[in-house]
Amino acid sequence: MPIPNRAALVDHLVRTRIAGDVATPRDNNLSHYRRLANGDRHYWLGLELGDRWSDEQDVLAVMAERCGVNDDPQYRHGQDTIDPELTVDALDRMAARLKQAAAGRESVLFATGHPGGLLDVHRQIADALRSTGCEIVRIPSGLTADEGMVFQFADVAVLERGATLWHTHSPEPMAAILDGLERDGRTRPDLVVADHGWAGCAGQRGVDAVGFADSNDPALFIGEAEGTVQVTVPLDDHVTDPRFYDPMTAYLLDAAGLL
């Protein structure tokens, strides 16, 4: 696949609605910001936010700054946005951390709560890092969380229920992995590349974590603002065709020196 330059990638992100005018409506975004501010831990994605973000307007301000949603608190319904320039900026920050991992031949764990959209993004990054000598962490066998099995598919940890890969925001699968590694006497990863509660839990436990997040998942952006999560890339995390993410992944890997 040709590697897009920044302008071409921005155009692609907008055209495929990975960024720009995304599918997530404004009222859904604001509802999630409010629930996070009200202390609903489902929306904390494994982070411990205490009472630091009890004002939903503070959450909106972070999301406007780091994701590019409309910053007007009176705008309650209609289309909302992700700024594609912020997406590419975050990809560049993630690329710098991946380059560091490659240079140090670090151990890296991959995980996704969005297997229908982002699994192959993670798989491609894992393949690229393995080729540089990084260890791609193999998780312990027999792990369970949230009434499902935690296992790896194409080097990416996922939650499985009833022979189906599960969309989950829960931090419990990552907690099961980190606890399982400790039980087995193994060191924790140098880096976690993930999304949702998988990334939040890792960051909260002090593991370097970078991740992807949608405009209605504010916790990881707050985590980056507070320094608990190293990088959060804003994007629509489940567009109509997962192949739409391929140019973005190619840009990321090239920027990291992994192609």
Side-chain angles (χ1 to χ4, degrees):
M1 171 175 293
I3 300 164
N5 60 24
R6 184 184 183 102
L9 179 59
V10 166
D11 178 73
H12 172 80
L13 295 173
V14 172
R15 184 161 29 86
T16 57
R17 300 185 74 186
I18 295 172
D21 291 337
V22 292
T24 310
R26 177 67 168 190
D27 58 325
N28 182 263
N29 282 343
L30 294 180
S31 172
H32 287 203
Y33 305 168
R34 184 178 313 112
R35 293 179 184 186
L36 180 147
N38 288 340
D40 188 333
R41 285 181 172 268
H42 175 78
Y43 296 91
W44 287 14
L45 301 183
L47 295 168
E48 292 297 329
L49 302 181
D51 59 1
R52 299 185 299 280
W53 298 91
S54 58
D55 186 338
E56 68 177 277
Q57 301 309 318
D58 292 339
V59 180
L60 174 60
V62 168
M63 294 304 292
E65 177 187 12
R66 293 180 175 268
C67 185
V69 301
N70 190 311
D71 64 357
D72 181 0
Q74 301 307 313
Y75 180 60
R76 312 297 298 178
H77 300 280
Q79 183 70 55
D80 215 338
T81 57
I82 293 174
D83 185 340
E85 298 288 349
L86 294 178
T87 302
V88 181
D89 287 345
L91 288 169
D92 288 339
R93 296 196 302 275
M94 182 181 282
R97 185 60 185 87
L98 296 178
K99 183 178 289 188
Q100 177 186 335
R105 296 189 174 183
E106 294 180 353
S107 60
V108 188
L109 172 64
F110 291 84
T112 186
H114 246 299
L118 297 178
L119 190 146
D120 201 49
V121 174
H122 292 292
R123 193 272 308 167
Q124 291 181 63
I125 302 170
D127 285 350
L129 285 177
R130 177 183 282 111
S131 72
T132 71
C134 285
E135 174 196 355
I136 306 306
V137 175
R138 292 177 62 86
I139 70 172
S141 299
L143 298 179
T144 61
D146 297 329
E147 301 180 343
M149 299 294 297
V150 184
F151 68 95
Q152 277 172 306
F153 182 76
D155 288 325
V156 185
V158 293
L159 180 68
E160 183 267 346
R161 289 185 193 164
T164 300
L165 303 186
W166 206 256
H167 172 214
T168 177
H169 289 70
S170 173
E172 295 305 318
M174 179 57 74
I177 293 172
L178 297 177
D179 291 344
L181 291 171
E182 184 178 359
R183 274 196 311 272
D184 290 353
R186 296 168 58 190
T187 58
R188 64 188 189 179
D190 297 312
L191 176 65
V192 165
V193 182
D195 48 64
H196 286 180
W198 306 80
C201 176
Q204 186 62 47
R205 292 213 183 180
V207 181
D208 282 5
V210 298
F212 304 95
D214 210 328
S215 60
N216 63 354
D217 291 327
L220 293 189
F221 296 98
I222 289 173
E224 184 178 10
E226 293 194 327
T228 311
V229 176
Q230 292 203 336
V231 180
T232 301
V233 177
L235 48 66
D236 186 315
D237 54 17
H238 197 110
V239 291
T240 55
D241 185 345
R243 291 273 71 83
F244 289 163
Y245 296 110
D246 285 350
M248 179 194 78
T249 308
Y251 176 93
L252 172 65
L253 296 179
D254 182 63
L258 297 175
L259 290 182

